[in-house]
Amino acid sequence: MTGTLADTTVVRLHPLHIGESEDGVCEVGRVDTGDFVELPAEGVDLVRWLGEGLPLGEVRRRFADRYGTEPDLADFLDGIGSCGFLRTDATTGDGGAPASGAGTPPVAAEVSRRGVALLANLAPHRVSWLLAPPMRLLYVGGWLTVPLLLALVPSLRPAPADAFLLDGVLANALVVAMVAWMLVLLHELAHAATVRALGVTGRLSISRRLWFLVAQTEMSAVRSVPRRRRYAPYLAGLTWDLLLMSACLVLQLAGVHERLVRGVVYTLTLSVVYQFLVFMRTDIYYVVGNWLRLGDLMGDTRRWLANQVRRLVGRDPGHDLGGVPARELRIIRWYAPFYLLGSLAVTAALLALTVPAMVTMVRLAVDGLDAPVDGLAFWNGVGFLALVALQLATFGWVLVAERRTAA
């Protein structure tokens, strides 16, 4: 926010949720957009006073009386403006006219949310039964049934051969991709329904984890509820996966050995394992972050690693981590090697295993284009190459969107 802010200026904020104090900071944010930040007591007081509609002169006086120094309100307003906390008509002077130098705050004041709101029109009471105590028995049963059956009945354990639902390699790749994305959508809907049961809304979007395209349900609005209640939406997707796996394993025990059933178990097994890779923003990463009462663990870890690299080459740190609590910095020092090694291991596996297999399948698809147009081989090749092109184009779009957001 530029220009001089007079003592008579009144700043208008969007409705903000202020959480309980933890380790000297509170989570403050907009439930409607899911944008939250952690503020110390001084920042929380400023937000409260501004939210009460007090003129900036009165805010300065109260702050000085309580903390013995004047606040840098211009800098603070710039900060909360970038978070989207300021209304478009953010400031007024005498008589309600826009104050000098006010106008529209930074671009984030009108926050552009990527993704599609899921179940936003669904009344929370219609899905509140998902969080009822009797349902917890079902959820625990799913978490226990899968590992027990896989441990006790070796024939049920998924194998790479289960990934072949059809005999043709290229046609199989198309079908497996459709099945996998359908399971991903159900996983995300489980998150969205549980989030809605808490009275807030999740947003579905396409993103990436390292080199992998993923669908994700943005659930930051659950930060408006106590931490102990956040585990349910964080674990909802995994719980659904395990319940569906349990049903498929029981079907196999009953003699149903269809390729699709075994293929679903195989695909879900990969999904469940992936969710425990906490060096990416997976479901268990958020569970651990909530349990340890952390803010942006991965983002702060990346900035901490970047500072270490700059120090190694004799340059000043490029990121100010002064606002990160000392307790979280200690955790970052333990997490950083795990994050770095995990990311390198996934990248190495991609280069050693996935890329060669993909190159081989692309060659088969290209060879199929030489087949007669009315033959299955030709259309298998066309379909597979179209799928690869779509994935690469989507990955590129996600990268561009990330860069624009960062800028």
Side-chain angles (χ1 to χ4, degrees):
M1 180 172 293
T2 58
T4 301
L5 296 173
D7 286 348
T8 56
T9 300
V10 175
V11 175
R12 295 195 178 100
L13 305 182
H14 287 282
L16 298 177
H17 169 84
I18 300 177
E20 298 177 357
S21 179
E22 295 178 337
D23 300 322
V25 298
C26 295
E27 291 183 324
V28 179
R30 291 176 60 182
V31 178
D32 60 330
T33 65
D35 288 301
F36 279 77
V37 295
E38 292 185 339
L39 293 178
E42 296 88 341
V44 172
D45 282 338
L46 288 176
V47 166
R48 285 200 173 102
W49 294 328
L50 292 171
E52 292 172 3
L54 297 178
L56 295 187
E58 177 63 15
V59 172
R60 290 191 181 97
R61 187 190 66 76
R62 291 192 180 192
F63 190 93
D65 288 346
R66 179 166 297 183
Y67 297 104
T69 183
E70 281 206 1
D72 186 346
L73 285 180
D75 185 62
F76 183 77
L77 292 174
D78 275 338
I80 64 174
S82 67
C83 298
F85 294 173
L86 300 183
R87 288 171 47 178
T88 303
D89 52 343
T91 59
T92 59
D94 293 333
S100 174
T104 302
V107 290
E110 290 297 330
V111 182
S112 175
R113 305 295 297 171
R114 287 170 47 200
V116 178
L118 291 176
L119 311 180
N121 295 323
L122 180 65
H125 72 269
R126 296 189 179 277
V127 284
S128 60
W129 57 269
L130 291 170
L131 303 178
M135 295 299 295
R136 297 175 189 172
L137 296 176
L138 176 64
Y139 303 150
V140 172
W143 280 81
L144 295 178
T145 298
V146 171
L148 283 175
L149 287 178
L150 294 180
L152 298 176
V153 187
S155 62
L156 297 180
R157 296 170 188 169
D162 296 334
F164 288 88
L165 305 182
L166 299 176
D167 293 329
V169 175
L170 300 178
N172 182 74
L174 292 173
V175 173
V176 168
M178 288 189 291
V179 170
W181 278 103
M182 179 60 68
L183 293 174
V184 166
L185 179 59
L186 292 173
H187 176 104
E188 299 305 325
L189 283 175
H191 284 303
T194 312
V195 166
R196 198 72 195 112
L198 292 174
V200 293
T201 303
R203 303 186 71 89
L204 178 67
S205 63
I206 301 298
S207 185
R208 69 180 180 94
R209 300 293 182 264
L210 290 179
W211 313 110
F212 307 108
L213 276 177
V214 298
Q216 66 176 12
T217 301
E218 199 275 327
M219 298 183 288
S220 57
V222 300
R223 295 173 71 178
S224 63
V225 303
R227 285 191 182 274
R228 67 181 182 279
R229 301 189 65 196
R230 301 177 196 175
Y231 292 109
Y234 289 154
L235 292 172
L238 260 176
T239 301
W240 164 257
D241 291 346
L242 291 169
L243 288 173
L244 184 55
M245 281 184 70
S246 299
C248 290
L249 293 174
V250 170
L251 285 175
Q252 292 183 58
L253 284 175
V256 180
H257 294 286
E258 297 293 335
R259 284 185 176 183
L260 180 59
V261 175
R262 296 193 65 88
V264 168
V265 171
Y266 178 80
T267 305
L268 288 175
T269 299
L270 295 178
S271 176
V272 170
V273 171
Y274 160 79
Q275 296 297 344
F276 282 85
L277 302 180
V278 294
F279 53 86
M280 293 185 281
R281 294 185 190 272
T282 58
D283 293 351
I284 299 301
Y285 164 85
Y286 286 103
V287 169
V288 172
N290 189 59
W291 176 52
L292 294 175
R293 307 191 313 279
L294 302 175
D296 184 11
L297 174 61
M298 187 167 295
D300 289 336
T301 298
R302 290 171 177 167
R303 289 183 279 273
W304 184 84
L305 286 170
N307 284 349
Q308 304 312 305
V309 171
R310 291 176 68 90
R311 287 193 179 98
L312 286 175
V313 297
R315 301 177 64 183
D316 293 332
H319 301 283
D320 180 13
L321 298 180
V324 180
R327 172 180 166 275
E328 186 167 337
L329 283 174
R330 290 194 296 270
I331 294 175
I332 286 173
R333 294 187 183 96
W334 284 95
Y335 177 74
F338 182 73
Y339 164 79
L340 191 58
L341 292 175
S343 300
L344 290 175
V346 167
T347 302
L350 178 75
L351 295 175
L353 302 175
T354 305
V355 171
M358 184 61 66
V359 169
T360 299
M361 296 180 74
V362 168
R363 286 176 178 170
L364 289 173
V366 172
D367 291 342
L369 298 181
D370 293 331
V373 176
D374 58 352
L376 182 61
F378 175 83
W379 290 107
N380 278 347
V382 170
F384 182 77
L385 291 175
L387 179 64
V388 171
L390 177 62
Q391 289 182 320
L392 292 176
T394 305
F395 192 85
W397 172 77
V398 169
L399 285 177
V400 170
E402 286 182 354
R403 291 181 178 275
R404 287 178 178 174
T405 302

